[in-house]
Amino acid sequence: MAREDDGVDMLEGVSPAYLQSLYARYSSDPSSVEPHWQRWFEGASQMVSGPSWQRSNWPPSDTDALTAGFDPTQAAIDKPTNGKAAVTVAAPSAKPAPVSEDAIRQASQDVVRAMMLIRTYRVRGHLAADLDPLGLHERELPEDLTPEFHGLDPNSDRPIYLDGALGFKRATVREIVDVLRRNYCGHVGLEYMHINDLAERRFLQERMEGKDAEIAFTPEGKQAILGKVIQAEQWEKFLARKYVGTKRFGLDGGESMVPALEAVIKYGGQFGISQIVIGMAHRGRLNVLSNVMGKPYRAIFSEFAGGSANPEDVGGSGDVKYHLGTSSDREFDGAKVHLSLVANPSHLEAVDPVVLGKVKAEQTAIGDSEGAKVLPVLLHGDAAFAGQGIVAECFGFSDLPGYDTGGCLHFVINNQIGFTTSPRFARSSPYPSDVAKIVQAPILHVNGDDPEAVTFACKLAIEYRQRFRRDIVIDMWCYRRFGHNEGDEPSFTQPLMYAKIRKHRAVSEIYAERLESEGVVDSKQVEEMQRSYIATLEDEFEAAKSYLPNKADWFGGRWSGLGRPDTPETERRNVVTAIEPETMAEIGRIITTVPEGFTIHKTLQRVLDAKKAMFESGEGFDWATAEALAFGTLVKEGHQVRLSGQDSGRGTFSQRHAVWRNQETGERYIPLCTVDGGRFEVRDSPLSEFGVLGFEYGYASADPRSLVLWEAQFGDFVNGAQVIIDQFIAAGEVKWLRANGLVMLLPHGYEGQGPEHSSARPERFLQLCAEDNMQVANCTTPANYFHILRRQMRRDFRKPLIMMTPKSLLRHKMAVSSASDFTGDSHFKRIMSDTAPPADKDVRRLVLCSGKVAYDLIEARDKAGANDTTIVRVEQLYPFPSEPLVARLKRMTNLEEVVWAQEEPRNNGAWFFVDPLIEQCLAEAGVKPQRARYAGRAASASPATGLAKRHAAEQAALIADALGIDSKS
């Protein structure tokens, strides 16, 4: 095979005139030019002065008559004399004539032009590749891929010096073009010259290029490929016959994907991969579930008939069959590979970051730091790959510490249409795969009607990924035989395309005919393959009528020992979260001790001195210190802690300082990484919400023993990840039986910073709360925050935790805790009294609230001397703490009024969620008030004002309204 340093790169941008000047120097003194030019001129000169074996001192110029007589090169036959041929000895020959400048000029021009032609094919040959099975895509040969464009005569038989390029020492123009078109313009088109790394380009070039390069499989391999194509095709036909008019989002037209995935598994196992995690949309999913993942046919048929995928006692809402995931083990040639297909919603590409996060967790768990053993595979549609921004976000992870997975294999099922939208209106780039160039990923375009080419592309992709640990894309051009779903009529919008599709032969028919012509199979074998598979499906179809799932697939593997809560959501569900004083002191030393010789920022030193004082006095523990204690003690107990988000190392508000920087060297130091036991990592993420939150959700789904936290820069920005929240975090458990313990930290609070820096939109999360699906909290003390974080790991079940975290409370003089709040019998409190409450019998007004506003209320109440008012903080909003609230209400025997106070506008915040729940509690407690009264901002289209004076006036008014006092007092 050829190499890229075969002269093509060396001659790029070099003119024939410059070559001639170099040659002049070389002729007078070969050592005056670089060694690579010496070698090149030596080879080029041979093209015009003689063969490579010719010696400059041979034949000798001076020989005697006897020697000349024995030298046939010096012998001549004279005219016959007396009827006999007379042999005479020729005179000694002269030295070869020197090479003319014209000859050198011509050779130089030929070589430069040939090398430029080769390079052009490497860069742009894919534009002339035969990729479209339907022939709809007009792909005329670009002018710069013709020899004439480069000044070469296509009919010339003059050999050109190539120095090993394309596997030739020398070749004619005709030979060069023939090889290039076979290499780069067949059923596989390769884009790789945008890659900066020379070793990667060489690797790909060596596998694609050369006069002997071809896609070759053994007869047995070809029969196996045909068998999988037949299965993929007959599966879709069987479903169409048995379930007429039912949506299945079939693979019809893209059947080559099935042997392609088989190749990924087979060759992946050969290259050391032990686990593959797959994410894909709904098109072809049932085919993958059955013919690749090995999900029982009868189980899928049962789901078509309306049966559940899980036992009846498991519950949950379930999901349509083409959204479900599964897992299985496959074995090829003794190599076992575990497969996981991640469940996904109809939101195309939303599953991508979830897969990558899951893979990262699996790699971390088994110590696969290079990504050699666990492979992510993402299957995409062409329209979604080009149109969904999350794709670019995921490519952005590919080389980031903490997020890279050692390369993802992307497989695009290029239907050449998106629902009803043609590519012309779906993207501005030539290919749907062009987005991959942002990370210099190589792209293999391949004709889906050629299963061997598709399988070859997958084999090459796996080999590349395992060698270089980088993303690679396969763009399989195919078609969608029916509409977006089987009941859709595509000819409304694509009449010409579907006129061709109706006449187009199936992939199995085309490939079988080819193998028959090669003598690999005969028609009887093909018929038997079809008959045997259909018979299997018929047997499974009958078995499905009595099929009942007997096990739910959700608490196995690393989830063993965890399960569903065995108590109602209204119960306390507390576990021991307090720590020993000695443990507290140990973590305190670790997070306040600066290593010898490490120069920290002077302001950070003051922060550490303040922390030391907290541990010495046992008082004044702030938010960041409580958080560090939670993280450190969990690590000491053997848990893993992963915190990820924009600016999470330092903290948006310069409060956390989990990462220290040596002010002289820039070196990083992370104190919590020195705690013995588990592992702590903190990652400053890319500026993304959708992608990073999806990644962390995937990570938490694979490793329930890790406390996985995602932090928004401001809670307001979380709506950039709404798809992940709605489809996975809120509903993943009831739809797919996928529990998750992800923690979301969302800075929230009204401090006059405007509509984009005030609200984490708690109302949206509360609207999603039902069926014990997650937890929503807004803690007001560092210790309560400490306990809820530890509770997340120490429980025997996992639920997502949505935390409204503070901003101004990070340094508020009242928002502090004592050492005793972390030790002894301390625990998480779902509701908390104010700091100086009146006796229960003296309470006339109860103000319920959540979060920062509690301190504003307490200060204003104390200032006004309202001794008959108590403020109770609801620390956990969902599950709502009805039980402790009812108990408190019953003790307030003289209660006359209940108020719900909040900073958010009336149509935001918790009001509409808590109102009926508070009413229920009041009725159960039997107190005089029957409904709570609202005190807060008026309903608003914007969550907050951007005007400081207006903010202050609104805040004072809502506090006064809640307390029943004059806002000016």
Side-chain angles (χ1 to χ4, degrees):
M1 291 292 182
R3 294 178 61 87
E4 190 171 336
D5 58 356
D6 52 19
V8 178
D9 280 359
M10 187 175 76
L11 292 175
E12 184 174 1
V14 175
S15 68
Y18 176 68
L19 272 182
Q20 291 162 29
S21 67
L22 277 180
Y23 182 73
R25 287 167 51 194
Y26 168 81
S27 299
S28 60
D29 179 10
S31 64
S32 66
V33 299
E34 294 293 329
H36 61 273
W37 282 115
Q38 293 177 29
R39 183 171 68 88
W40 188 85
F41 281 126
E42 181 181 354
S45 297
Q46 291 169 7
M47 300 303 301
V48 294
S49 61
S52 59
W53 40 263
Q54 180 171 304
R55 290 170 50 189
S56 59
N57 63 347
W58 191 266
S61 56
D62 297 318
T63 58
D64 56 35
L66 180 62
T67 302
F70 287 102
D71 184 354
T73 65
Q74 300 183 49
I77 300 177
D78 291 341
K79 292 181 180 179
T81 303
N82 299 325
K84 294 182 180 180
V87 177
T88 61
V89 177
S93 62
K95 289 184 179 180
V99 179
S100 70
E101 288 189 15
D102 287 343
I104 287 294
R105 183 182 301 109
Q106 182 65 60
S108 300
Q109 290 176 343
D110 284 351
V111 174
V112 171
R113 290 166 178 170
M115 292 301 181
M116 290 303 99
L117 177 64
I118 293 171
R119 179 173 177 80
T120 303
Y121 267 86
R122 290 173 178 173
V123 176
R124 288 166 52 78
H126 60 89
L127 295 173
D130 180 12
L131 302 176
D132 184 4
L134 301 177
L136 292 171
H137 196 81
E138 296 293 338
R139 296 176 70 84
E140 295 181 358
L141 185 71
E143 186 180 0
D144 58 354
L145 294 182
T146 64
E148 293 91 339
F149 179 87
H150 297 275
L152 294 169
D153 180 359
N155 299 312
S156 172
D157 291 325
R158 184 172 59 249
I160 300 173
Y161 179 67
L162 297 183
D163 192 27
L166 306 180
F168 290 111
K169 188 71 174 177
R170 58 184 60 80
T172 65
V173 174
R174 191 180 298 107
E175 291 173 322
I176 293 170
V177 171
D178 178 62
V179 169
L180 288 172
R181 290 186 179 169
R182 280 193 286 112
N183 292 166
Y184 291 107
C185 303
H187 283 169
V188 179
L190 174 64
E191 288 189 88
Y192 71 109
M193 292 299 281
H194 57 280
I195 300 172
N196 288 337
D197 188 89
L198 180 60
E200 292 181 40
R201 294 203 305 270
R202 283 177 176 171
F203 173 89
L204 294 164
Q205 179 186 307
E206 288 173 356
R207 282 150 183 78
M208 282 290 294
E209 189 176 280
K211 60 188 174 82
D212 299 320
E214 63 177 7
I215 296 173
F217 290 91
T218 64
E220 293 77 16
K222 294 181 178 185
Q223 290 169 5
I225 292 172
L226 176 61
K228 295 310 290 186
V229 171
I230 287 173
Q231 288 180 11
E233 180 183 304
Q234 293 302 323
W235 167 258
E236 301 295 352
K237 289 184 175 181
F238 188 86
L239 293 181
R241 289 195 303 271
K242 297 296 185 180
Y243 307 103
V244 178
T246 303
K247 289 182 182 180
R248 54 185 168 84
F249 296 99
L251 190 58
D252 313 76
E255 291 89 351
S256 291
M257 184 187 77
V258 171
L261 289 179
E262 290 280 298
V264 169
I265 301 166
K266 175 181 178 180
Y267 295 118
Q270 291 177 2
F271 283 104
I273 290 169
S274 60
Q275 184 174 353
I276 297 175
V277 182
I278 303 171
M280 67 178 297
H282 37 281
R283 171 150 157 77
R285 190 181 191 90
L286 296 177
N287 217 314
V288 171
L289 282 167
S290 60
N291 290 316
V292 177
M293 302 295 298
K295 182 174 180 176
Y297 298 124
R298 63 186 65 182
I300 298 175
F301 294 149
S302 174
E303 291 162 18
F304 265 99
S308 172
N310 299 299
E312 290 299 325
D313 61 339
V314 171
S317 66
D319 200 353
V320 291
K321 50 197 164 292
Y322 39 79
H323 286 172
L324 301 178
T326 194
S327 61
S328 63
D329 293 298
R330 296 288 305 276
E331 183 174 345
F332 287 94
D333 303 326
K336 290 184 178 179
V337 180
H338 180 72
L339 307 177
S340 299
L341 177 62
V342 178
N344 72 285
S346 285
H347 292 66
L348 300 175
E349 308 297 341
V351 76
D352 297 359
V354 177
V355 167
L356 297 178
K358 178 177 170 66
V359 167
K360 188 64 177 179
E362 298 286 359
Q363 292 172 343
T364 302
I366 64 173
D368 182 18
S369 59
E370 296 296 318
K373 296 179 181 178
V374 188
L375 168 72
V377 175
L378 293 176
L379 278 62
H380 313 267
D382 52 318
F385 197 62
Q388 294 290 307
I390 187 60
V391 173
E393 290 188 34
C394 289
F395 274 117
F397 295 144
S398 63
D399 198 30
L400 294 181
Y403 302 92
D404 67 299
T405 57
C408 176
L409 195 158
H410 300 267
F411 192 101
V412 180
I413 306 171
N414 189 345
N415 300 316
Q416 307 183 67
I417 186 174
F419 204 149
T420 66
T421 303
S422 298
R424 171 66 185 85
F425 305 104
R427 63 177 188 266
S428 297
S429 57
Y431 298 110
S433 53
D434 287 324
V435 64
K437 293 179 182 177
I438 63 175
V439 294
Q440 300 178 41
I443 302 164
L444 288 151
H445 305 282
V446 60
N447 189 317
D449 264 3
D450 186 346
E452 287 185 25
V454 180
T455 304
F456 163 80
C458 288
K459 180 181 179 182
L460 175 56
I462 283 291
E463 190 178 358
Y464 169 87
R465 189 269 182 187
Q466 290 300 93
R467 173 74 66 87
F468 297 105
R469 304 284 187 264
R470 297 194 63 240
D471 285 28
I472 186 167
V473 177
I474 298 169
D475 172 26
M476 184 184 79
W477 289 50
C478 55
Y479 55 92
R480 195 184 63 199
R481 187 166 290 278
F482 304 105
H484 174 67
N485 61 66
E486 289 68 29
D488 191 50
E489 175 48 69
S491 294
F492 286 136
T493 52
Q494 276 78 29
L496 301 182
M497 170 184 272
Y498 277 86
K500 279 221 169 191
I501 289 174
R502 281 190 290 270
K503 298 175 183 177
H504 195 74
R505 294 191 300 162
V507 178
S508 65
E509 185 181 341
I510 295 170
Y511 189 48
E513 183 178 284
R514 172 178 160 187
L515 296 191
E516 287 177 31
S517 68
E518 295 174 4
V520 175
V521 297
D522 57 39
S523 59
K524 290 183 178 180
Q525 286 176 282
V526 175
E527 290 172 4
E528 176 56 25
M529 287 180 180
Q530 295 175 348
R531 188 206 61 76
S532 174
Y533 182 68
I534 293 171
T536 298
L537 295 182
E538 289 286 1
D539 291 343
E540 290 289 301
F541 181 77
E542 290 302 315
K545 295 175 182 178
S546 58
Y547 174 79
L548 289 174
N550 57 17
K551 183 181 178 182
D553 173 27
W554 63 333
F555 289 122
R558 293 192 186 92
W559 284 85
S560 296
L562 299 171
R564 305 168 74 184
D566 54 8
T567 58
E569 66 178 58
T570 53
E571 291 198 11
R572 183 179 172 194
R573 292 176 173 174
N574 258 6
V575 290
V576 175
T577 54
I579 56 176
E580 295 297 325
E582 296 79 11
T583 301
M584 186 174 180
E586 178 187 347
I587 302 301
R589 283 192 298 273
I590 290 173
I591 64 176
T592 59
T593 302
V594 180
E596 186 175 349
F598 194 93
T599 306
I600 63 171
H601 195 281
K602 60 182 181 180
T603 303
L604 178 57
Q605 184 61 65
R606 291 198 295 270
V607 172
L608 297 184
D609 291 342
K611 288 184 187 294
K612 287 181 181 178
M614 297 173 200
F615 286 97
E616 290 170 359
S617 67
E619 299 295 336
F621 286 90
D622 61 14
W623 205 270
T625 307
E627 180 185 75
L629 277 172
F631 293 163
T633 53
L634 284 172
V635 171
K636 182 176 173 60
E637 292 168 7
H639 294 286
Q640 325 302 322
V641 175
R642 174 185 168 93
L643 171 63
S644 163
Q646 298 153 22
D647 319 303
S648 288
R650 191 203 72 171
T652 300
F653 311 102
S654 196
Q655 85 283 6
R656 180 173 291 120
H657 296 291
V659 181
W660 303 349
R661 287 281 186 178
N662 190 315
Q663 297 299 297
E664 295 179 354
T665 66
E667 177 189 359
R668 284 165 32 113
Y669 177 71
I670 304 175
L672 289 175
C673 286
T674 66
V675 177
D676 291 331
R679 184 190 71 256
F680 175 79
E681 63 175 315
V682 56
R683 300 291 179 181
D684 287 341
S685 76
L687 195 64
S688 154
E689 286 80 36
F690 191 167
V692 178
L693 181 59
F695 188 98
E696 303 306 336
Y697 174 88
Y699 196 106
S701 72
D703 188 1
R705 309 296 176 178
S706 288
L707 177 66
V708 182
L709 309 98
W710 175 77
E711 181 176 53
Q713 190 180 66
F714 282 83
D716 311 66
F717 305 152
V718 71
N719 54 11
Q722 200 65 46
V723 172
I724 297 297
I725 296 164
D726 292 345
Q727 304 303 322
F728 292 91
I729 293 172
E733 182 173 335
V734 295
K735 289 194 297 186
W736 308 315
L737 300 187
R738 286 296 174 260
N740 198 288
L742 176 68
V743 178
M744 296 175 64
L745 304 179
L746 310 178
H748 173 82
Y750 281 60
E751 286 103 357
Q753 296 189 59
E756 274 74 54
H757 295 84
S758 297
S759 178
R761 298 288 192 170
E763 66 278 357
R764 292 181 177 169
F765 293 97
L766 293 172
Q767 185 186 46
L768 293 169
C769 289
E771 299 182 286
D772 198 15
N773 62 334
M774 57 184 176
Q775 310 154 92
V776 179
N778 191 356
C779 295
T780 56
T781 70
N784 224 25
Y785 177 53
F786 163 89
H787 286 295
I788 199 171
L789 290 179
R790 286 180 49 78
R791 185 183 75 169
Q792 191 73 356
M793 280 289 97
R794 294 181 64 82
R795 282 173 161 176
D796 59 2
F797 63 89
R798 297 289 180 265
K799 298 285 183 181
L801 171 61
I802 316 303
M803 285 293 309
M804 306 295 143
T805 55
K807 294 176 287 185
S808 61
L809 291 193
L810 293 170
R811 298 176 176 85
H812 197 288
K813 65 181 184 298
M814 296 178 69
V816 293
S817 298
S818 301
S820 59
D821 296 325
F822 302 92
T823 59
D825 295 328
S826 61
H827 58 270
F828 175 70
K829 298 175 181 178
R830 292 179 289 169
I831 63 172
M832 295 187 73
S833 299
D834 68 36
T835 52
D840 289 334
K841 64 181 179 59
D842 297 330
V843 174
R844 299 288 188 273
R845 175 185 286 109
L846 166 64
V847 180
L848 297 170
C849 63
S850 186
K852 175 188 87 66
V853 72
Y855 292 107
D856 296 340
L857 288 163
I858 291 170
E859 288 181 307
R861 187 271 317 271
D862 292 347
K863 183 179 179 181
N867 298 325
D868 61 350
T869 300
T870 191
I871 290 97
V872 171
R873 293 164 276 177
V874 179
E875 300 280 287
Q876 178 177 289
L877 289 161
Y878 184 80
F880 191 75
S882 299
E883 182 185 7
L885 181 56
V886 169
R888 288 300 307 274
L889 287 168
K890 286 181 176 179
R891 297 203 299 266
M892 300 177 188
T893 54
N894 295 309
L895 185 65
E896 295 180 357
E897 184 182 25
V898 176
V899 178
W900 173 264
Q902 66 177 40
E903 297 181 300
E904 303 87 355
R906 184 183 180 93
N907 58 324
N908 293 177
W911 169 239
F912 285 125
F913 178 78
V914 301
D915 181 25
L917 296 171
I918 295 173
E919 183 180 2
Q920 237 178 352
C921 291
L922 292 171
E924 188 175 340
V927 293
K928 179 180 176 182
Q930 296 182 0
R931 290 285 302 274
R933 178 175 67 82
Y934 172 78
R937 287 176 167 84
S940 173
S942 172
T945 178
L947 306 176
K949 286 185 178 180
R950 184 177 297 174
H951 164 78
E954 290 176 351
Q955 195 76 2
L958 75 89
I959 296 298
D961 183 26
L963 298 174
I965 61 176
D966 187 342
S967 62
K968 296 180 181 179
S969 63

